């Protein structure tokens, strides 16, 4: 068990009127009670010697009164001393007078009480020793004056003095312990209040940080959603530009055939020419209006022409020329099968293949890329796989917008796409109706 040193309490303030009234009460009360005890002892002396005590005993009584009055008057103001060396010396001196003066018994008891409140065992032992020595000295002088020594009376008197000195010391110990306990409890309560306030402030700070983090996360989500919407809109615009060229081609063909119909001979020439001219003019007007509207979607000059089936092979060859290890495998389908399909399918495949090769070159440079184009009864599936490159992936910043555009493009054709890591391989799979 750890024993802590007693705390040193602060002395009363000398500017406090109430404390001075207490000091005055201690001095005056000590004087009154001390005088009463002195008169009782001196009266018993007079009765013992029939009102004619020896001069030496009278002189001792006079010294008793003077010493007692002096220490009793100063015991009150001594309460303002700060606990320390001077406090100990003066109160030990006053406590010692209990063995020298009956007048000083009350003041000595107060001094012993104050020493007890400090709860210093060595002070207690020294006080008892001084009281015992002073009592033996006084009893020795008294015995030498009387000319007789009563050993039993001597031992009894010393024992009574020791017990009498222990009583205020123990009371001081109890009061000092209580004061320290109360002070400790107050300190703990104050510490608990401070900790509670600190915890409350920390909770409030954490709440504010959490709210800030939530707002930032919400802002990031909104920014991501806005960016996603922008990428989807750009991909839709790109698809619309691609389809514009295809539709223009078909409209131009309609205009050409309608123009040829105006020269057929099996109908009335006038009616045939009038109907054919109407078709041709309507097709040409639609073609012009569609081109005028959709040309506003073009944001860059020099757009590449629409992709065809050979374009897929050209994309692979360009990637190989740039140093990539790329291989395209056809399963269940030939390049010629794409010729008769909707031009949007070929354009989408070309855009997806371009994005896949660029993505592999950026995130897994030098790794082999295997692309498979397969077909079943209902779907056309493009699958691309390349080994993951942790170093390159960690060093390259990617927004994922290219793959998002791939997904958006195939969804516009009625299909879907997915991408992600599977073990040590990164895989992209896109499928669309056939």
């Amino acid at each position: 068990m750890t024993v802590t040193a007693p705390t040193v309490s602060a002395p009363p303030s000398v500017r406090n009127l109430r404390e001075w009234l207490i000091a005055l009460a201690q001095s005056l009360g000590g004087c009154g009670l001390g005088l009463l005890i002195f008169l009782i002892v001196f009266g018993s002396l007079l009765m013992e010697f029939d009102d004619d005590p020896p001069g030496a005993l009278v002189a001792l009584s006079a010294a008793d009164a003077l010493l007692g009055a002096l220490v009793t008057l100063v015991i009150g103001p001594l309460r303002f001393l700060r606990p320390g060396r001077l406090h100990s010396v003066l109160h030990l001196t006053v406590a010692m007078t209990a063995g020298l003066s009956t007048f000083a018994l009350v003041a000595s008891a107060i001094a012993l009480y104050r020493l007890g409140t400090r709860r210093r065992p060595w002070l207690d032992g020294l006080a008892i020793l001084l009281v015992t020595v002073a009592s033996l000295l006084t009893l020795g002088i008294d015995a030498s004056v009387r000319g007789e020594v009563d050993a039993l009376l001597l031992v009894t008197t010393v024992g009574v003095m020791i017990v009498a000195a222990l009583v205020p010391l123990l009371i001081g110990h109890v009061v000092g312990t209580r004061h320290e306990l109360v002070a400790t409890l107050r300190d703990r309560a104050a510490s608990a209040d401070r900790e509670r306030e600190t915890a409350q402030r920390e909770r409030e700070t954490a709440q504010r940080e959490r709210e800030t983090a939530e707002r930032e996360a919400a802002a990031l989500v909104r920014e991501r959603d806005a960016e996603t919407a922008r990428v989807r809109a750009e991909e839709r615009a790109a698809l619309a530009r691609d389809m514009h060229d295809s539709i223009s081609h078909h409209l131009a063909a309609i205009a050409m055939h309608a123009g040829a119909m105006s020269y057929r001979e099996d109908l009335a020439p006038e009616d045939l020419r009038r109907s054919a001219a109407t078709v041709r003019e309507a097709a040409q007007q639609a073609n012009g209006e569609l081109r005028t509207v959709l040309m506003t979607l073009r944001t860059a000059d020099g757009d590449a022409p629409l992709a065809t089936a050979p374009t897929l092979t050209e994309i692979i060859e360009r990637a190989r020329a740039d140093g990539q290890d790329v291989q395209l495998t056809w399963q269940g389908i030939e390049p010629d099968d794409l010729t008769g399909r909707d031009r949007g399918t070929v354009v989408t495949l070309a855009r997806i293949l371009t994005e896949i090769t660029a993505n592999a070159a950026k995130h897994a440079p030098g790794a082999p890329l295997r692309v498979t184009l397969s077909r079943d009864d209902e779907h056309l599936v493009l699958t691309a796989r390349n080994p993951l490159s942790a170093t390159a992936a960690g060093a390259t910043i990617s927004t994922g917008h290219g793959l998002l555009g791939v997904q958006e493009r195939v969804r516009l054709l009625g299909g879907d796409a997915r991408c992600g890591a599977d073990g040590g391989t990164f895989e992209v799979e896109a499928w669309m109706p056939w």
Side-chain angles (χ1 to χ4, degrees):
M1 181 178 67
T2 302
V3 179
T4 58
T7 58
V8 178
S9 59
S13 175
V14 295
R15 299 181 179 180
N16 193 325
L17 179 60
R18 177 176 176 275
E19 300 298 335
W20 275 107
L21 291 177
I22 294 175
L24 181 62
Q26 289 177 347
S27 295
L28 295 180
C31 285
L33 292 177
L35 179 61
L36 177 62
I37 296 173
F38 172 77
L39 291 177
I40 293 173
V41 173
F42 187 71
S44 65
L45 178 64
L46 293 176
M47 291 178 62
E48 180 181 356
F49 290 98
D50 294 330
D51 295 332
D52 188 18
L57 293 179
V58 174
L60 287 176
S61 297
D64 182 334
L66 290 175
L67 179 61
L70 176 63
V71 299
T72 304
L73 289 176
V74 301
I75 192 63
L78 287 180
R79 70 193 308 268
F80 294 106
L81 286 178
R82 181 177 297 275
R85 183 174 300 177
L86 181 61
H87 181 280
S88 302
V89 171
L90 293 178
H91 281 82
L92 284 172
T93 302
V94 175
M96 183 181 63
T97 60
L100 302 175
S101 170
T102 56
F103 199 115
L105 287 176
V106 176
S108 178
I110 295 175
L112 289 169
Y113 167 80
R114 292 176 184 171
L115 291 172
T117 58
R118 295 181 61 183
R119 298 185 303 118
R120 299 291 199 279
W122 66 272
L123 276 179
D124 300 339
L126 185 57
I128 296 298
L129 178 62
L130 291 175
V131 170
T132 302
V133 171
S135 299
L136 289 174
L137 178 62
T138 303
L139 291 174
I141 296 174
D142 184 84
S144 64
V145 171
R146 294 175 184 271
E148 59 182 9
V149 178
D150 188 347
L152 179 62
L153 178 63
L154 181 63
V155 172
T156 304
T157 303
V158 172
V160 171
M161 291 300 296
I162 293 175
V163 172
L166 285 173
V167 171
L169 281 174
L170 293 177
I171 294 175
H173 268 269
V174 172
V175 174
T177 302
R178 179 180 177 277
H179 286 170
E180 183 174 0
L181 178 60
V182 171
T184 301
L185 292 177
R186 288 177 178 172
D187 290 343
R188 289 182 179 178
S191 178
D193 290 339
R194 289 192 297 270
E195 291 178 357
R196 185 166 54 251
E197 292 175 358
T198 301
Q200 179 64 25
R201 288 194 295 269
E202 290 177 353
R203 285 195 296 270
E204 292 175 355
T205 301
Q207 178 66 22
R208 289 194 296 270
E209 292 178 352
R210 184 165 54 251
E211 292 175 354
T212 301
E214 291 175 354
R215 288 194 296 269
E216 291 177 353
L220 290 175
V221 171
R222 289 193 297 270
E223 182 179 353
R224 178 68 178 181
D225 292 342
E227 190 68 12
T228 300
R230 184 187 65 80
V231 172
R232 293 183 184 276
E234 289 180 355
E235 197 62 30
R236 290 173 183 269
L239 183 61
R241 289 197 305 270
D242 295 338
M243 292 302 98
H244 161 264
D245 294 336
S246 178
I247 294 173
S248 297
H249 171 75
H250 292 302
L251 291 177
I254 293 173
M256 179 186 67
H257 290 293
M261 289 175 58
S262 63
Y263 297 99
R264 289 184 59 179
E265 299 290 341
D266 54 303
L267 294 176
E270 189 66 25
D271 294 337
L272 185 59
R273 289 189 183 93
R274 185 182 302 110
S275 298
T278 301
V279 172
R280 181 180 61 185
E281 291 173 1
Q284 290 177 341
Q285 184 179 5
N287 183 38
E289 291 177 355
L290 182 61
R291 180 178 295 274
T292 300
V293 173
L294 295 183
M295 277 295 291
T296 59
L297 294 175
R298 294 186 179 271
T299 58
D301 297 332
D303 289 338
L306 282 180
T308 59
T311 304
L312 303 180
T313 304
E314 294 173 2
I315 294 173
I316 298 299
E317 295 299 330
R318 283 198 301 269
R320 289 174 179 171
D322 293 336
Q324 285 186 264
D325 181 5
V326 186
Q327 181 178 347
L328 174 62
T329 303
W330 300 77
Q331 294 181 354
I333 187 173
E334 296 295 335
D336 294 339
D337 296 337
L338 295 175
T339 304
R341 301 296 300 177
D342 181 15
R343 296 290 293 278
T345 301
V346 180
V347 170
T348 299
L349 290 174
R351 290 297 180 97
I352 294 174
L353 193 56
T354 301
E355 177 61 31
I356 289 173
T357 54
N359 192 61
K362 179 170 62 174
H363 294 286
L369 174 64
R370 299 296 178 256
V371 182
T372 301
L373 187 62
S374 60
R375 182 180 71 85
D376 56 24
D377 294 338
E378 297 180 355
H379 296 93
L380 179 64
V381 182
L382 187 148
T383 305
R385 296 182 179 89
N386 62 270
L388 288 173
S389 177
T391 303
T396 303
I397 299 176
S398 175
T399 61
H401 293 163
L403 295 177
L404 181 63
V406 167
Q407 185 182 56
E408 181 66 15
R409 182 172 285 269
V410 295
R411 283 181 177 177
L412 291 173
L413 296 180
D416 205 346
R418 65 174 183 84
C419 61
D422 184 9
T425 304
F426 186 80
E427 179 177 319
V428 178
E429 184 178 25
W431 61 93
M432 59 197 72
W434 178 259

